[in-house]
Amino acid sequence: MSDPILEVESLKVAYGRVQAVRDVSFTVPEGGLVALVGANGAGKSSVLAAVSGLIRPGSGRVRLGGEDVTRCPAHRRIAAGLVLVPEGRQILGTLTVAENLLLGAHRRRRQAAPESEMYDLFPVLAERRALPAGSLSGGEQQMLAIARAMIARPRVVLLDEPSMGLAPKMVDEVFAVIEKIRASGVTVVLVEQNARRALRAADTGHVLETGEIAHSGPASELLQDPRVVKAYLGVE
């Protein structure tokens, strides 16, 4: 396994008096796919928000490629190649698909991929490039949110609940895209409530409970762990 490209050390996040993340540590090897799973409110999205720079942790360290970026604002982390696809997509609905992609490219102008590369990866977006993004279906909007991140050619992409609210067929398409992203060499950190699907895609998994990592290990082993199965996976 290669050296870690992303290191999270003793991360703590609080909202007022509520401790959302308690002493979370994990590493992500370059080119790997790590899944963070757990129940709603376990702190998964707060971890990504702190790693991406959207919120400032109470304590802890975030390193990207060995460089401490804990105090760097979000736009500096994007410029360094750490890009978040947020929960809820947050596309700009009044702009066209093409204009949304241009905004993503602007984040890392020198490294950005050509727009055509995104249309090859997401053919449905090529068909709708001139349409307002708000007119797309939920699944298509999710594809656009991922494409907007990928056009910046990130080193690490953080995916926050990419399958939320999608029909089963579209969930399959989203996970197929995640596999393509990983196969291209981009490192992926995946937060996903569909724990079984996330762990099947991942190399390593971490199960969060009330802001702490309760179980960690190879994803294939977590899929067989009776404690994880009982609490999060259930019977297929």
Side-chain angles (χ1 to χ4, degrees):
M1 190 66 73
S2 62
D3 292 336
I5 189 171
L6 181 66
E7 301 168 83
V8 178
E9 179 185 336
S10 302
L11 195 69
K12 296 181 181 179
V13 175
Y15 302 101
R17 295 183 179 181
V18 178
Q19 195 76 33
V21 177
R22 310 166 187 267
D23 201 30
V24 164
S25 299
F26 62 92
T27 61
V28 186
E30 187 164 12
L33 197 163
V34 170
L36 305 180
V37 300
N40 283 337
K44 307 183 300 295
S45 293
S46 292
V47 169
L48 289 197
V51 170
S52 66
L54 290 182
I55 59 175
R56 178 171 291 183
S59 62
R61 290 283 181 272
V62 178
R63 296 183 181 88
L64 178 66
E67 180 183 353
D68 191 334
V69 297
T70 312
R71 296 187 178 278
C72 292
H75 70 273
R76 287 271 305 279
R77 299 188 203 197
I78 292 170
L82 179 63
V83 179
L84 171 68
V85 180
E87 179 182 349
R89 300 148 198 156
Q90 297 183 19
I91 60 167
L92 297 176
T94 59
L95 299 184
T96 66
V97 167
E99 287 167 341
N100 270 272
L101 290 179
L102 286 174
L103 286 176
H106 180 74
R107 296 169 175 176
R108 299 188 78 206
R109 200 175 308 171
R110 293 180 181 177
Q111 296 90 350
E115 192 177 322
S116 59
E117 191 174 305
M118 293 302 101
Y119 293 141
D120 289 340
L121 185 59
F122 304 94
V124 68
L125 299 183
E127 299 170 9
R128 291 158 172 72
R129 70 183 76 184
L131 296 178
S135 69
L136 304 183
S137 70
E140 291 165 352
Q141 289 184 16
Q142 184 62 68
M143 294 295 186
L144 176 56
I146 296 173
R148 186 179 57 186
M150 292 305 300
I151 200 170
R153 291 196 193 277
R155 301 163 69 190
V156 180
V157 61
L158 311 174
L159 297 171
D160 194 357
E161 301 285 8
S163 76
M164 180 177 287
L166 301 184
K169 181 179 178 181
M170 188 54 68
V171 171
D172 291 341
E173 292 188 24
V174 166
F175 273 90
V177 167
I178 292 171
E179 291 289 352
K180 288 181 182 179
I181 291 170
R182 191 274 180 79
S184 74
V186 176
T187 304
V188 179
V189 180
L190 172 63
V191 159
E192 177 59 56
Q193 194 171 354
N194 187 337
R196 187 181 297 277
R197 196 66 185 265
L199 291 173
R200 282 176 173 165
D203 305 307
T204 303
H206 304 286
V207 180
L208 271 69
E209 291 181 1
T210 60
E212 299 178 299
I213 293 180
H215 310 286
S216 291
S220 58
E221 293 182 8
L222 291 177
L223 280 166
Q224 305 299 322
D225 188 319
R227 299 165 299 174
V228 176
V229 171
K230 181 177 179 180
Y232 302 103
L233 305 183
V235 179
E236 286 192 282

